[in-house]
Amino acid sequence: MSNAAFSLPEPDPGETGAYSLVGQARAKPGQGDALEAALLALVEPTRREAGALQYHVHRDRADPELFVFYEAWQSLDHLKAHLEQPYVTDYLARRMDYLAEDMTVRWLKMASPYPVIRNTI
């Protein structure tokens, strides 16, 4: 799954909100901890990227083999740049070592206004 492996929907004309997505990843039986480690390794470098507004990984409480991730990017171009980062392409190349089936992604259009975060320092 790289930029070429799935279609990134274009924002609607005049759309100004964050470019967001929510996805799911299901680990192979017994691979939940390994998948969690692989997903968590993406968090800090991703959050340092230009245009990264939100990047979260969640583990389902009732189904520990199921992970849900949420991302919000300043723009589609920022997400495209993220998908080309070496640590992301490495994860995408080896993801099926951990996954029972490929990840699913839902592309979201932000309906609520995105808050402006002011530096308080």
Side-chain angles (χ1 to χ4, degrees), residues 94-105:
R94 60 187 171 84
R95 72 190 183 284
M96 296 312 296
D97 293 347
Y98 312 107
L99 298 178
E101 57 199 34
D102 212 347
M103 298 178 294
T104 61
V105 177

Side-chain angles (χ1 to χ4, degrees), residues 1-21:
M1 183 184 273
S2 67
N3 276 351
F6 57 87
S7 175
L8 299 169
E10 290 292 325
D12 291 345
E15 185 177 334
T16 60
Y19 193 90
S20 305
L21 62 102

